Amino acid sequence: GGPTCNKRAGHAPTRWYGHPMPRHTILIVEDDAAIADSVAYHLGKAGHRTLVAADGATGLRLFKRERPDLVVLDLMLPQMDGWRFTSEIRADDPDVPVIMCSARTSEHDRVHGLDIGADDYVTKPFSITELLARVPKAMRGLSCLCQNCATQEVRPVEPGAD
């Protein structure tokens, strides 16, 4: 066996660009299918297991069932907005990292997102390279003892390039 990572058990090391990297489960809650697909594709190519929900209520059910290591969250969602989603998951799990990705760009929205529990806030449109660079940073706060989480190099891949 390889190294084990953080309190959320179940991911095994894999190789990506020659660097050992743990498999984390990342929940993407995004109602724009093109954005959700792109984020899921690139995180999947980076060795992560991805789950996608197109609305907040479905995202909350997936969160409670799957216990992801990280949540990438839109704010303006059908059924349950990202603000309420964050409050709900924080009551259930105060430690899971959350990266909010939103077209809401005001300072008030960004600060409010961080105040209610987001670990990071990325404004749309965003670069997939930037988002990928933020993922390991957000997960550094987990109680992970392996070197892989802190030292992984994250680079986007072009669709179809395997």
Side-chain angles (χ1 to χ4, degrees), residues 59-130:
L60 188 59
R61 283 192 302 276
L62 274 173
F63 178 85
K64 289 182 178 196
R65 185 179 76 215
E66 299 289 333
R67 296 300 191 200
D69 298 296
L70 173 77
V71 178
V72 176
L73 175 67
D74 186 18
L75 285 178
M76 296 180 284
L77 296 164
Q79 297 185 29
M80 177 188 299
D81 67 27
W83 307 115
R84 182 165 163 223
F85 179 92
T86 302
S87 296
E88 294 276 338
I89 67 167
R90 282 291 174 242
D92 190 42
D93 183 345
D95 297 322
V96 65
V98 176
I99 299 175
M100 287 183 175
C101 300
S102 180
R104 299 180 70 129
T105 61
S106 76
E107 178 182 22
H108 176 268
D109 287 328
R110 293 189 314 268
V111 170
H112 181 61
L114 295 169
D115 282 347
I116 66 167
D119 296 275
D120 203 349
Y121 192 107
V122 180
T123 57
K124 293 179 184 176
F126 57 84
S127 149
I128 195 70
T129 304
E130 179 183 358

